[in-house]
Amino acid sequence: MVLVRQLADFAARSDFSELSDQARLQLRIRILDSIGCALGALGSGTIARVRDFVAASDGDGPCTLTGGGRAAPDRAALLNGALVRYLDFNDSYLAPDETCHPSDNLGAVLAASEAARADGRTLLTALAVAYQIQCRLSDEAPVRDHGFDHVTHLAYSASAGAARALGLDAERTANAVAIAGTALNALRVTRTGTLSNWKGLAAPFAAANAVEATLLASRGITGPEEVFEGNKGFMQAVAEPFSIDWAREDLDLVNRTILKRYNAEIHSQSAIEAILDLRRRHGFTAADVEHVVVEIFGVAHRIIGGGEEGDKLTVITKEDADHSLRYMLAVALLDGEVLPRQYTLERIREADVQTLLRRVVARPRADYSTRFPTEMAVRVLVTLTDGRTFDLERFDYPGFSTRPMTWDEALVKYRSLGSDMVDSTLLTDISAAIGELEHIEVAELTRLLARAGAPAAQADREAA
């Protein structure tokens, strides 16, 4: 049996009863975290442009848009997925040679579930399927060193998750995955050099098109069944030969995904934790700092620390800033936090942070690299203008697999992100619906999400 059919069998046969209690809890926490990220992004100009596009090209359909409106499933997946992804504050999965954001699947799975009038159990199962597929492909078939982006794996996971949500059989699921996998191969240039809006939109675009592929397959359109192992297929053109026994896979990899404590690229989290801890312990300010040296694992240096994917000194947009370790550590020293407000254009372009980021240097350290991804090892050394030096090692951070967030901790982050855009009563109603997701219909959650937006939050603030 070709690999795409094995994967499709896994997706189609997966059942809610196979989810462990821990996996069910972690899926709800991931949805809560993702929805918090989405609510926090509602006021973004980039999101407004995506919403305008969706409204101009659609305007009606079976699926709800977060913040109001309706659209076809693929368009809803695009906007809702963009909301989850835009802040770059959503979850991650670390493999030795690949890092992905599995909650990028949520927009697609939510749209397909709502279109199918599914219940919360179906949504949770379909999302678990998508998580498992994307994470296992990250483990066994990394694409970054071949010039492709981790979004490439999302084509397979989002289409399989959407197919499971729609209740497609294995035959049509295989065709959905084959179509999406053949068509959606994202280039790594998305995240190298000077960054653009596409950094935050590549994943929702792929997920939306994966939904479209799945809808085509549901109507009998077929795709290349040797998408993985065939001549000029994925193994030959994009990655390398690999093997996954999908008959032996479970739905538990969500338990190994991690959440961000800071609004920053995932590999920076322990470094930010360390520099904020040094600042608190020793009471110095950014004005006291002569320079900062960060010894860090190789993947972080390569992507955000000034290695292969750019020196990260030219920081003029949000996309540049949240992928520059220099900027993130500088703004952490200055502001004592790294949250969405650290990424306004006004903050990014201020002289204090632009000057300080040039005094931050990152260096790869081989022994730290060998401990990734089970650790995020880092050593931060701060030298002050009076000659004093302080240093601190960190190997993880709150939200990492060694210190996972609880529901209550994730709820604090969710409320912090959503409070500017959603009134407090609606925030509570949305989180309660997510907490009870396996006992409600998906439409009950999406009706609440449709009510989110700035006017309600403004009314809440004025009433207070």
Side-chain angles (χ1 to χ4, degrees), residues 175-305:
N175 282 309
V177 174
I179 294 167
T182 301
L184 302 171
N185 293 289
L187 295 179
R188 184 66 187 176
V189 71
T190 299
R191 285 165 229 286
T192 66
T194 300
L195 301 184
S196 67
N197 293 148
W198 199 244
K199 179 182 75 68
L201 296 179
F205 180 84
N209 281 273
V211 171
E212 187 172 11
T214 306
L215 294 173
L216 287 168
S218 73
R219 288 158 174 77
I221 301 298
T222 61
E225 67 173 11
E226 292 186 332
V227 58
F228 284 115
E229 63 272 77
N231 183 29
K232 303 298 189 294
F234 178 83
M235 290 185 185
Q236 187 180 114
V238 178
E240 293 179 2
F242 70 95
S243 177
I244 298 174
D245 186 351
W246 291 106
R248 298 174 62 87
E249 289 295 316
D250 56 29
L251 297 173
D252 279 345
L253 266 183
V254 62
N255 297 321
R256 286 175 47 197
T257 61
I258 59 178
L259 298 178
K260 293 183 178 182
R261 181 176 187 180
Y262 305 103
N263 191 180
E265 199 272 351
I266 188 61
H267 302 105
S268 71
Q269 299 289 306
S270 56
I272 295 172
E273 179 84 359
I275 207 161
L276 287 175
D277 201 356
L278 281 172
R279 183 179 182 268
R280 284 189 296 268
R281 288 186 185 191
H282 302 290
F284 58 80
T285 68
D288 301 320
V289 174
E290 177 66 29
H291 63 262
V292 177
V293 175
V294 185
E295 298 174 348
I296 200 163
F297 50 98
V299 170
H301 179 260
R302 174 181 179 178
I303 296 174
I304 59 174

Side-chain angles (χ1 to χ4, degrees), residues 416-434:
S416 173
L417 287 170
S419 59
D420 283 344
M421 302 304 296
V422 180
D423 70 70
S424 56
T425 300
L426 182 56
L427 270 179
T428 298
D429 290 344
I430 292 171
S431 62
I434 296 170

Side-chain angles (χ1 to χ4, degrees), residues 401-423:
S401 54
T402 50
R403 291 193 277 168
M405 279 192 194
T406 64
W407 173 268
D408 288 342
E409 289 168 335
L411 192 60
V412 171
K413 177 182 171 183
Y414 159 83
R415 286 190 167 276
S416 173
L417 287 170
S419 59
D420 283 344
M421 302 304 296
V422 180
D423 70 70

Side-chain angles (χ1 to χ4, degrees), residues 357-378:
L357 74 86
R358 284 160 173 77
R359 300 207 295 269
V360 179
V361 176
R363 298 171 181 163
R365 186 163 153 173
D367 59 329
Y368 287 171
S369 299
T370 60
R371 289 147 72 172
F372 180 85
T374 56
E375 293 181 3
M376 273 190 176
V378 64

Side-chain angles (χ1 to χ4, degrees), residues 47-211:
I47 294 299
R49 290 188 285 274
V50 176
R51 190 181 295 276
D52 286 347
F53 164 76
V54 170
S57 59
D58 197 338
D60 195 16
C63 296
T64 302
L65 303 177
T66 299
R70 303 192 67 80
D74 57 331
R75 299 302 196 212
L78 175 64
L79 178 63
N80 293 338
L83 282 163
V84 170
R85 190 70 182 85
Y86 177 74
L87 294 181
D88 203 355
F89 211 171
N90 56 323
D91 67 6
S92 295
Y93 178 79
L94 305 179
D97 297 305
E98 198 74 75
T99 299
C100 67
H101 300 273
S103 55
D104 286 340
N105 290 282
L106 180 59
V109 172
L110 182 64
S113 298
E114 186 178 17
R117 299 181 180 179
D119 58 21
R121 293 187 172 205
T122 299
L123 171 60
L124 289 167
T125 306
L127 190 61
V129 165
Y131 266 63
Q132 195 77 19
I133 291 170
Q134 187 172 17
C135 294
R136 290 296 287 127
L137 288 174
S138 295
D139 287 334
E140 304 297 336
V143 299
R144 186 170 60 215
D145 287 346
H146 298 269
F148 292 91
D149 196 41
H150 60 263
V151 168
T152 298
H153 294 145
L154 186 65
Y156 300 96
S157 59
S159 55
R164 177 62 185 83
L166 290 168
L168 301 191
D169 60 20
E171 175 77 16
R172 298 196 176 201
T173 299
N175 282 309
V177 174
I179 294 167
T182 301
L184 302 171
N185 293 289
L187 295 179
R188 184 66 187 176
V189 71
T190 299
R191 285 165 229 286
T192 66
T194 300
L195 301 184
S196 67
N197 293 148
W198 199 244
K199 179 182 75 68
L201 296 179
F205 180 84
N209 281 273
V211 171

